[in-house]
Amino acid sequence: MDSNLHSPERRLIELRMEHADLDALIDGAAIQQPVDELMIRRLKKRRLALRDQIARLELVLDPKEPA
């Protein structure tokens, strides 16, 4: 059971959830007046880093080429 909590599949789900949360935060921040450009840039940078982590983890879990 404990190994399931730290599995790569679980981590991938958590990263995707965090990415979706950041999408919602960015959308909400973009419609607020006044727009906090610095905060939006920081959120987008974090979202991009998460996307990179997700892509790397997906390659580990499902390699395109046979080993």
Side-chain angles (χ1 to χ4, degrees), residues 19-55:
H19 189 274
D21 290 344
L22 281 173
D23 277 339
L25 278 172
I26 291 167
D27 290 344
I31 61 173
Q32 290 181 358
Q33 294 297 328
V35 175
D36 186 347
E37 295 291 334
L38 179 61
M39 182 182 70
I40 291 175
R41 278 187 286 172
R42 287 177 176 166
L43 290 172
K44 286 182 176 181
K45 188 174 182 177
R46 175 68 182 139
R47 182 179 63 179
L48 182 60
L50 283 173
R51 189 175 71 184
D52 291 343
Q53 288 179 356
I54 290 168

Side-chain angles (χ1 to χ4, degrees), residues 53-67:
Q53 288 179 356
I54 290 168
R56 283 192 301 270
L57 194 52
E58 286 174 339
L59 282 175
V60 167
L61 294 174
D62 187 25
K64 301 295 180 205
E65 298 178 16

Side-chain angles (χ1 to χ4, degrees), residues 4 7 10 16 19 34:
N4 192 28
S7 70
R10 170 95 181 199
R16 287 179 176 160
H19 189 274

Side-chain angles (χ1 to χ4, degrees), residues 1-14:
M1 171 89 173
D2 187 42
S3 64
N4 192 28
L5 293 176
H6 301 290
S7 70
E9 292 84 3
R10 170 95 181 199
R11 180 70 179 140
L12 184 59
I13 291 168
E14 291 170 351

